[in-house]
Amino acid sequence: MSSSGDPDVLVIGGGNAALCAALMAREAGASVLILESAPRAWRGGNSMHVRNLRCMHDAPQDVLVEAYPEEEFWQDLLKVTGGLTNEGLARLVIRHSSRCRPWMRRHGVHFQPPLSGALHVARTNAFFMGGGKALVNAYYRSARNLGVRIRYETPVKSLEIADGRFKAAITEAGERITAKSCVLACGGFESNLEWQREAWGQNERGEWPAENFLIRGTRYNQGVLLKFMIDAGADTIGDPTQAHCVAIDARAPLYDGGICTRIDCVSLGVVVNRDGQRFYDEGEDFWPKRYAIWGRLVAQQPGQTAWSIIDRKAVGRFMPPVFEGTRAGTLEDLAQKIGLDPVPFMDTMRAYNTACRVGTFDHTTLDDCHTEELSPAKTHWALPIDAPPFYAYPLRPGITFTYLGMRTDRTAAVHFGGAPSVNLFAAGEMMAGNVLGKGYTAGVGMSIGTAFGRIAGVNAAQSAGFAHPEFKEEFAYAAAL
Amino acid sequence: MPPRSDQAVIETPPACGDALGLAAMLTASEQDVARMMQICNACRYCEGFCAVFPAMTRRLEFGKADVHYLANLCHNCGACLHACQYAPPHEFAVNVPQAMAKVRVQTYQDYAWPRAMGQLYRRAGLSVALALAGGLSLFMVLAVAMSGRLIHQPLAGNFYAIFPHNFLAVVFSSVFLFAILALCIGVTRFWREVSPTRDVVSEDRFAIAAARLPATAEAVSDVATLRYLGGGHGEGCNEEDDGFTLLRRYFHQFTLYGFLLCFAATSVATLYHYLFGWEAPYPWISLPVILGSLGGAGLLLGPAGLLWLNLRRDPQHGDSAQHGMDRGFIALLFLISATGFALLVLRDTRFMALWLAIHLGTVMALFLTMPYGKFAHGVFRSAALLKYTIEKRLPNRLASGGE
Ligand SMILES: Cc1cc2nc3c(=O)[nH]c(=O)nc-3n(C[C@H](O)[C@H](O)[C@H](O)COP(=O)(O)OP(=O)(O)OC[C@H]3O[C@@H](n4cnc5c(N)ncnc54)[C@H](O)[C@@H]3O)c2cc1C
Ligand code: HEM
Ligand code: SF4
Ligand code: SF4
């Protein structure tokens, strides 16, 4: 293709979904231009922070053990979303995930068995060697080699749309770029603090909780085009006030703290808020199944903060944290060091310690160590916190992504008033709410983004007059046609 | 059972800078490695690339010995820099290969024997240049002193007309044996530091004994194949960008095996001389010449390729302060081979003595700098790999759980 001039297919965004779309459109023969708002060093959006892909498989598959059949995947999705999902689209994503990896490999993605400390997903999730940034790098390399044009630091501000038809994109700098078709893959609005503040509102204490949130991923997902599309009358999906929110270390940076800022010792100790009070059962279930609810729990506490308190017995039993805990020889000292009033804190700790009924501790099972006559109870792994040194880790809510997006069907087309656009498509987080209306299960973000990124790319090329040579059969299988 | 490291945790160097505990004992570059390893240990995305990350996950804190061990385990392949979401411009500024390189050269220095000679690493490029100048002038002067002149009537390749065989044998073997001794003492010191016997848990003694043989076999194969320049997926390491290439591995193989073949050629020639009384020059079709020519070819191609790669490598990999050491060593290897070929070609001409002096001078420079220059990397890396292959066969005492 020529190195300048307007492309057949314009892809807006520079993460996993955008790259999948660009690669597919290019494979179909279309000329493709990617507009990424981030500079090269920060390219890849939230996708550069990911680590795995949830995959359906009926038998062991290279790095995946045993089987994870369609039905089980679907039930998992149904459970985490509480039914806020579209079964047709969800099953499409699920089935697509069972066959997409050879294509990913062809574009340079490497898979590996689960990372140490993540064995619980050995059956369901294929890990990217080197993580999401290695994946994103591989896709960018492949795109460049195939002749896809890439422009960094080119945020798009708005689109020209006429009768549901994409005409052109207008960049922040005012440049107008036309194309025969367009894929929107520019993430959610999680990086937009102002919007978050509005979405979460004010609480009964008069606080604006979102002011104390940290964003786990990129700073570039400002939701500019999401807002634009909503105003332009596109059909939306997903709760605009909701976000996936986990408890992370309060010392994480405002953006891009990524995976390493999570705190994994919650279930091994107790969690207290600013008033020195416990507020939830820390041992309700295995931590990987619980960490997502703790974001919201912490968000409800005064100051949107809390502390995970452990003693020496827990050291070495959880994934090592990125920041050192505050350490003290006595619990009183610990309270002082983290700035809590020692009196209520000590009351809480004493009450907890005396309520512990220790059986056989085993943090790999839902063991029988629990509290009695304590509210809230700790139902598993309840050991008295009495072996110095003691450690405290400060917690804050960390936002992973938002759920609000464009309503689509299995063609990935953006809809206006229920009618699909012929040349405007959406992929990734921008439409993930169709499948994942709420909740989350590890690796499904990439399953959705890869499926719909590829579909959007093929259909955008199609509407520009290019047929993808291979995808038909794979799509027919995924869509159960 | 509480994890073994509990004791030490109390003394852990804090990752994020508050100077407590053992931190004072770590140098700035060691602290940097410890800080990054703490981040990596919470992330682990790079576990598949090489041996460093699996070794890291067996630890909770990174003291001096751990840092020294991991630094020498790192092959500077660059994969974990390009894949790192915390690499600069991120405020965590994680650049593992660079941090490791800085410590690595410091370990060569710390463990050098005699210790004072470790100072030479500070100006390793200059040391090579000085050794070269010294070696060259020494042999030129000697040639003139022993045979009267550098340019002479053709001597039919009879080197010993210039330098008596026994003279050469004594001079080179004593310098070489000293170099080997110094390297052995250095690497033994390193081994003792990174694998202190006092730390061995008694249940592990049996496991270590059982591991020794298979571990050694694996380490030898990891060295012989340069497994960890393969990037974990076998597509190689990074050079100027995030793309992978096997070129560094191939050029290093040429260099390493070239070196070994040249060494074998010399050893065979020595055997011929002392055992069978066959004296040089050996015919073109003879074991010493064939081995030497093959090895020499490797030592031309390999270093030339390594230099080419070194010059175009992303400056973020490794430590730019070590370019002198790396490139000086590469150049020296290339020169040894080039002058060796020149000697082979010119051995029947009037210039034999001149080229013999030049060649011997470069070889002497290599021998002199072996224990105090880049050559040490092969010895220290091999030792670190052996420690890794033993360690991974022992039970992991950490039970850090899920997500
Ligand atoms: C810390 C973390 C870990 C995660 N781990 C996993 C995991 O292991 N597995 C998994 O499946 N999911 C994971 N997720 C979720 C996953 O990141 C997302 O589901 C997925 O990356 C979404 O891909 P995307 O391409 O839609 O968006 P992104 O990757 O966020 O890409 C959006 C892109 O659009 C660009 N952009 C934004 N606005 C504009 C504009 N106006 N103009 C031009 N470009 C714009 C951005 O710069 C960015 O490049 C994780 C998320 C986080 C934050
Ligand atoms: C006789 C033995 C050896 C010779 C002559 C030799 C030579 C060299 C040379 C010239 C370089 C290039 C330096 C650069 O470009 O930066 C190099 C780099 C390297 N060597 Fe060796 N080597 C030897 C043994 C080994 C061994 C045993 C190993 C280990 C397992 C090893 C591993 C490496 C690695 C990983 C690099 C690249 C890393 C870097 O850039 O620092 N070498 N070697
Ligand atoms: S180098 Fe970066 S991505 Fe790799 S393990 Fe370390 S912190 Fe994680
Ligand atoms: S540079 Fe390569 S060898 Fe060194 S730690 Fe990183 S991935 Fe491992």
Coordinates of all heavy atoms in Angstrom, one line a residue, chain B residues 37 46 49-53 70 73-81 96-97 100 104 228, ligand 4:
Chain B
M37 N 14.1 -6.8 41.6 CA 13.6 -8.2 41.8 C 12.4 -8.2 42.7 O 11.5 -9.1 42.5 CB 14.8 -9.0 42.5 CG 15.9 -9.3 41.5 SD 15.4 -10.5 40.2 CE 15.2 -9.5 38.8
C46 N 7.8 -12.4 33.3 CA 9.0 -12.8 32.4 C 9.5 -14.2 32.8 O 10.6 -14.6 32.2 CB 10.1 -11.8 32.5 SG 9.6 -10.2 31.8
F49 N 11.3 -16.5 30.1 CA 12.4 -16.1 29.3 C 13.7 -16.8 29.6 O 14.5 -17.1 28.7 CB 12.6 -14.6 29.3 CG 11.6 -13.8 28.6 CD1 11.0 -12.6 29.2 CD2 11.1 -14.2 27.4 CE1 10.1 -11.9 28.5 CE2 10.2 -13.4 26.7 CZ 9.7 -12.3 27.3
C50 N 14.0 -17.0 30.9 CA 15.3 -17.4 31.2 C 15.3 -18.0 32.6 O 14.3 -18.2 33.2 CB 16.3 -16.2 31.2 SG 16.0 -15.0 32.5
A51 N 16.5 -18.3 33.2 CA 16.6 -18.9 34.5 C 16.5 -17.9 35.6 O 16.2 -18.3 36.7 CB 18.0 -19.6 34.6
V52 N 16.7 -16.6 35.3 CA 16.7 -15.6 36.4 C 15.4 -15.6 37.2 O 15.4 -15.6 38.4 CB 17.0 -14.2 35.9 CG1 16.8 -13.1 36.9 CG2 18.5 -14.2 35.3
F53 N 14.3 -15.6 36.4 CA 13.0 -15.4 37.1 C 12.6 -16.6 37.9 O 12.1 -16.5 39.0 CB 12.0 -14.9 36.1 CG 12.3 -13.6 35.5 CD1 13.0 -13.5 34.3 CD2 12.0 -12.4 36.2 CE1 13.4 -12.3 33.8 CE2 12.4 -11.2 35.7 CZ 13.1 -11.1 34.5
L70 N 22.1 -13.9 40.8 CA 21.2 -13.6 39.7 C 21.8 -12.8 38.6 O 21.6 -12.9 37.5 CB 19.9 -12.9 40.3 CG 19.1 -13.7 41.3 CD1 18.0 -12.9 41.9 CD2 18.5 -14.9 40.6
L73 N 23.6 -15.0 36.5 CA 22.7 -15.9 35.7 C 22.1 -15.2 34.5 O 21.8 -15.8 33.5 CB 21.6 -16.3 36.7 CG 20.8 -17.6 36.5 CD1 21.8 -18.8 36.2 CD2 19.9 -17.9 37.7
C74 N 22.0 -13.9 34.6 CA 21.4 -13.1 33.5 C 22.3 -13.1 32.3 O 23.5 -12.9 32.4 CB 21.2 -11.7 34.0 SG 20.8 -10.5 32.6
H75 N 21.7 -13.4 31.1 CA 22.5 -13.4 29.9 C 22.4 -12.1 29.1 O 22.9 -12.1 28.0 CB 22.1 -14.6 29.0 CG 22.6 -15.9 29.5 ND1 22.7 -16.3 30.8 CD2 23.0 -17.0 28.7 CE1 23.2 -17.5 30.9 NE2 23.4 -18.0 29.6
N76 N 21.8 -11.1 29.7 CA 21.7 -9.8 29.0 C 21.0 -10.0 27.7 O 21.3 -9.3 26.7 CB 23.1 -9.2 28.8 CG 23.0 -7.7 28.4 OD1 22.1 -7.0 28.7 ND2 24.0 -7.3 27.7
C77 N 20.0 -10.8 27.6 CA 19.3 -11.1 26.3 C 18.4 -9.9 25.9 O 18.1 -9.8 24.8 CB 18.6 -12.4 26.3 SG 17.0 -12.3 27.2
G78 N 17.9 -9.2 26.9 CA 17.1 -8.0 26.6 C 15.6 -8.3 26.6 O 14.8 -7.4 26.6
A79 N 15.2 -9.6 26.6 CA 13.8 -9.9 26.5 C 12.9 -9.2 27.6 O 11.9 -8.7 27.3 CB 13.6 -11.4 26.5
C80 N 13.4 -9.3 28.8 CA 12.6 -8.8 29.9 C 12.6 -7.3 29.9 O 11.8 -6.7 30.6 CB 13.0 -9.4 31.2 SG 14.7 -8.8 31.7
L81 N 13.5 -6.6 29.2 CA 13.4 -5.1 29.2 C 12.2 -4.7 28.2 O 11.4 -3.9 28.5 CB 14.7 -4.5 28.7 CG 14.6 -3.0 28.4 CD1 14.3 -2.2 29.6 CD2 15.9 -2.6 27.8
V96 N 16.0 -4.7 34.0 CA 16.7 -5.8 34.6 C 18.1 -6.0 34.0 O 19.1 -6.1 34.7 CB 15.8 -7.1 34.7 CG1 16.6 -8.2 35.2 CG2 14.6 -6.8 35.5
P97 N 18.1 -6.1 32.6 CA 19.4 -6.4 32.1 C 20.5 -5.3 32.4 O 21.7 -5.7 32.7 CB 19.2 -6.4 30.5 CG 17.8 -6.1 30.3 CD 17.1 -6.1 31.6
M100 N 21.5 -5.7 36.2 CA 22.3 -7.0 36.3 C 23.7 -6.8 35.8 O 24.6 -7.2 36.4 CB 21.6 -8.1 35.6 CG 20.3 -8.5 36.1 SD 20.4 -9.2 37.8 CE 18.8 -10.0 38.0
R104 N 27.1 -7.3 37.7 CA 27.9 -8.4 37.2 C 29.4 -8.0 37.1 O 30.2 -8.7 37.6 CB 27.4 -8.8 35.8 CG 27.9 -10.2 35.4 CD 26.9 -10.8 34.3 NE 26.7 -9.9 33.2 CZ 25.5 -9.5 32.8 NH1 24.4 -9.9 33.4 NH2 25.4 -8.6 31.7
Y228 N 20.0 -19.8 27.1 CA 19.3 -18.6 27.5 C 19.6 -17.4 26.6 O 19.2 -16.3 27.0 CB 19.6 -18.3 29.0 CG 19.1 -19.5 29.9 CD1 19.9 -20.3 30.5 CD2 17.7 -19.7 29.9 CE1 19.4 -21.4 31.3 CE2 17.2 -20.7 30.7 CZ 18.0 -21.6 31.4 OH 17.5 -22.6 32.1
Ligands
SF4_4 S1 18.0 -9.9 30.2 FE1 17.4 -11.9 29.4 S2 18.6 -13.3 30.6 FE2 18.7 -11.3 31.7 S3 17.1 -11.4 33.2 FE3 16.2 -10.5 31.4 S4 15.3 -12.2 30.2 FE4 16.7 -13.1 31.7

